[in-house]
Amino acid sequence: MKQRRHFLRNAGAVLSLAVLAGCTSMNTTQSGAVGVDRKQYMSTMVPAQALEQEANQQYADILQEAKSKGLLDRDAKQVARVRDISQRLIAQAGVFRPDAANWKWEVHVLSSDEVNAWCMPGGKIAVYTGLISQIKPTDDELAAVLGHEIAHALREHARERVSQQMATNLGLQVLSIATGSKAASDLGGELTSVMFTLPNSRTHETEADRMGVELAARAGYDPRAAVTLWQKMGAASQGSAPPEILSTHPSAASRISDLQSASQKVMPLYEQSKGQAAR
């Protein structure tokens, strides 16, 4: 009888958490010219506002630590270059989601040997000096990196991945309830994990690649630079220490092929943008 009660209590916990972790089908962005229209599933346990608040706090902590060490925005010319490219890309974000115009975007450069860049939920961007000094990207190639990272934020890939993580952690939540401890979702820990530790899925990478080249093309940057950029990244990975960005951004020959196809698709947008700029 005691074992039966224990089973029923655990079963009830499973059902309750299953409801909490229930995912809602949605599409966070419009498809754009590149046709990104996959349905996404977001857990009710991961509200967009809560995740963005956590991202804001983590970003502030990262900036404060960098500032205390004299590693924040040290080169004014470098910072201006990164921000100029970023702003041109951000100006095109409305093509995929109009509400991005209301995001509180921030762009900073962190002095670090890491070859890395990222954009947190809500538009918090960081570029590491190692990316600039070691890869030596042209403006078009840097736009490819930034467009890719911005696309991850627009598409809410972090929230989608945290939702997946929460679903896989249901067993731990059940154990917490069964033992009488508080079953609270650690959004901060999950966000850190998906942003800086776990590799992105092939699907997320493809979406970010395609959206990134469209953002770049619309902003007046040659979308074909995405191909040369990732070729440079691949070459850099042949050394003893691959670029940090590749630890969370899997690369393959098929990726180059897809980038070539996507960049050709948005070339008319690039030509149109260049034509308008010339007037």
Side-chain angles (χ1 to χ4, degrees), residues 122-139:
K124 306 304 184 185
I125 299 171
V127 174
Y128 290 47
T129 55
L131 172 67
I132 299 172
S133 63
Q134 296 182 46
I135 302 300
K136 295 180 171 56
T138 63
D139 284 358

Side-chain angles (χ1 to χ4, degrees), residues 239-251:
S240 57
E244 181 67 19
I245 196 170
L246 291 184
S247 68
T248 53
H249 294 67
S251 187

Side-chain angles (χ1 to χ4, degrees), residues 28-29 93 96-97 100 103 105 150-156 211 215:
T28 57
T29 61
F96 290 105
R97 54 182 303 166
W103 288 6
W105 294 88
I150 288 170
H152 276 309
L154 295 175
R155 192 68 174 152
E156 293 190 51
M211 291 172 62
L215 287 172

Side-chain angles (χ1 to χ4, degrees), residues 101-200:
N102 299 321
W103 288 6
K104 296 180 180 179
W105 294 88
E106 286 189 57
V107 184
H108 292 280
V109 177
L110 307 180
S111 293
S112 169
D113 290 336
E114 289 185 14
V115 178
N116 206 3
W118 40 262
C119 181
M120 281 185 159
K124 306 304 184 185
I125 299 171
V127 174
Y128 290 47
T129 55
L131 172 67
I132 299 172
S133 63
Q134 296 182 46
I135 302 300
K136 295 180 171 56
T138 63
D139 284 358
D140 292 322
E141 290 171 341
L142 189 52
V145 175
L146 289 165
H148 177 98
E149 300 304 330
I150 288 170
H152 276 309
L154 295 175
R155 192 68 174 152
E156 293 190 51
H157 284 155
R159 182 181 170 208
E160 188 175 12
R161 295 174 69 210
V162 169
S163 294
Q164 294 166 353
Q165 287 289 104
M166 290 294 187
T168 60
N169 288 340
L170 275 179
L172 294 177
Q173 298 280 350
V174 170
L175 180 61
S176 296
I177 289 180
T179 57
S181 62
K182 184 178 180 180
S185 299
D186 180 14
L187 283 181
E190 297 291 354
L191 178 61
T192 298
S193 179
V194 302
M195 282 295 303
F196 305 114
T197 305
L198 299 175
N200 283 305

